[in-house]
Amino acid sequence: MTVNQFDPKQTTTLDTPKKIIDDLATTASSQGDIAVTNIQPHAGRIGFVSLGCPKNLVDSERILTQLRTEGYDVVSTYNDADLVIVNTCGFIDSAVEESLDTIGEALAENGKVIVTGCLGVKEDEIRQIHPNVLSITGPHAYAAVVEQVHEHLPKPAHNPYVHLVPDHGVKLTPKHYAYLKISEGCNHRCTFCIIPSMRGDLVSRPVGEVLNEAKRLKAAGVNELLVISQDTSAYGVDVKYKTDFWDGVPVKTHMQQLCEQLGTMDMWVRLHYVYPYPHVDNLIPLMNEGKVLPYLDIPFQHASKRILRLMKRPGSADRTIERIQKWREICPELIIRSTFIVGFPGETEEEFAELLAFLQEAQIDRVGCFKYSPVEGATANALPDHIPEEVKEDRLQRFMEVQSQISAERLKTRIGKEYQIVIDEVTSEGAVGRCYADAPEVDGVVHLNGVFDVEVGSRVWAEIIHSDEHDIWGALVDDSLENTADNADVHAIDGTAD
């Protein structure tokens, strides 16, 4: 049950895309699809840096997939690249600073830089600092980025890599999990957020297209889908929940129907960025039935009704507590992740105390918190009574202290129970993985010290023997190594305590 200070940095360095492409080449060669010796080393060479959230990562994957299909090479150093693409983040000030610094580094080391992503909507600001960038586009401008690459680095004459791009495209995540983006944009106008001005209003992907992508990912070996968007629970609102057809079955463009279909694919399905609409209640029985993971990432942001109104967010502490209690009655294994803002303009000490009291009563499992940041363009900047930085920092630390205590106590209840663990890596100390309660990158992990004879992506059963405020430690059950990813039930969650 993790508590963490919000950090926008989820950087995919130059090394990551190159490593993924090399792995694809090795796999294709071993399967006889194409000989590695056919690769032409002097094809147009691209360096790629992806900054920000998983939604940005998916955009990067789409761009890289198209470039690879056209025969461009992807390299891991600035010196080897003919040009560099930087996919930026502009969510809060620290993200803007990181993006601008990365653009500057790429210019200094390479000189030819194409900028895209959320910060791209502020072209004047970028060019004021970095006037020599080749071109700038906003988020999800896939075709425009590829056209700009064509302009500055013509297509290779041949397409030696076409057979190295699988049906599911280039993915920048490990092979056993992938992000599934179901929509773009957001219809809400939260006063602290500028995402709608960057990514526009909600545009839902056709449900058949989403399900086909999930099916391709499953065929490629993915056994965990992380469903993402700006507002996952609003899926289909813009098209009035129109009915589409998938595999000859009518399916509404609606979050519940989407989850029901994903739940038939024998994968872990994890829901992120869920806005607390009333119909979210209907997902909890699906979680209890094992169709999707009992894991709900739902940003409550605050507990004070007045602060929530200023944020233009729904809900109140009492109503939210009632819903959480009801959810847990229906699905006792439910894990709730949420994010909160402290130091919002006008937040009084009493309202902050109300937030801390809410944490104690709600007993939320995973929590991220960040101080209010007056990002340029946010309407909350015009509100009176901004909170001094030292007060915001003090509230952040007090918030984290309370949640750390909650987290430690909740994790302690897992000791003695058995969980199915997916292996994410094997280090010098042993295997590191996650159970159903842990999303990659943002939550805690399960340490299996001394366990080395496991493969990344496989699943094993472990009894929890220790915990702290962030992570848990486990010991393999006797027959666990027999239950690999090929034969373990991906819907299994936990066993019973001895």
Side-chain angles (χ1 to χ4, degrees), residues 91-94 192 341 370-376 378 381 392:
F91 179 51
I92 59 176
D93 288 346
S94 57
F192 56 83
I341 298 173
F370 60 96
K371 298 178 291 185
Y372 174 75
S373 175
V375 61
E376 183 181 350
N381 296 341
K392 288 193 285 187

Side-chain angles (χ1 to χ4, degrees), residues 218 221 223 266 420 455-460 480-490:
K218 169 68 176 179
N223 55 35
D266 200 30
Q420 191 180 58
E455 294 183 0
V456 171
S458 65
R459 297 177 187 270
V460 298
S480 183
L481 288 178
E482 299 176 5
N483 294 321
T484 65
D486 292 331
N487 58 21
D489 178 7
V490 298

Side-chain angles (χ1 to χ4, degrees), residues 282-313:
N282 298 329
L283 300 177
I284 309 304
L286 298 181
M287 295 178 177
N288 192 52
E289 295 165 9
K291 293 183 178 179
V292 296
L293 288 180
Y295 179 101
L296 197 57
D297 174 11
I298 184 164
F300 294 121
Q301 304 298 7
H302 213 278
S304 162
K305 186 176 292 186
R306 189 185 76 90
I307 293 297
L308 287 169
R309 283 200 301 267
L310 291 175
M311 291 177 170
K312 292 190 176 179
R313 296 284 298 186

Side-chain angles (χ1 to χ4, degrees), residues 182 232-236 241 252-260 271-272 274 279-280 283 286 296:
I182 63 174
T232 298
S233 45
Y235 179 63
Y241 305 120
K252 281 188 175 181
T253 310
H254 188 280
M255 186 183 184
Q256 182 176 343
Q257 282 71 30
L258 174 65
C259 288
E260 288 173 348
L271 303 179
H272 287 274
V274 178
H279 70 256
V280 171
L283 300 177
L286 298 181
L296 197 57

Side-chain angles (χ1 to χ4, degrees), residues 69 121 142 183 193 260 300 329 346 376 389 449:
T69 299
V121 300
Y142 320 114
S183 65
C193 182
E260 288 173 348
F300 294 121
E329 288 174 2
E376 183 181 350
E389 185 63 29
N449 290 351

Side-chain angles (χ1 to χ4, degrees), residues 100 119-131 133 136 376:
L100 291 173
L119 189 60
V121 300
K122 300 181 180 180
E123 181 171 355
D124 292 344
E125 180 177 333
I126 295 173
R127 290 200 180 277
Q128 183 177 1
I129 300 173
H130 301 301
V133 295
I136 300 173
E376 183 181 350

Side-chain angles (χ1 to χ4, degrees), residues 68-90:
R68 288 293 294 161
T69 299
E70 294 181 0
Y72 289 96
D73 196 4
V74 178
V75 296
S76 60
T77 68
Y78 289 122
N79 288 337
D80 291 335
D82 295 314
L83 64 80
V84 177
I85 300 172
V86 179
N87 192 3
T88 60
C89 178

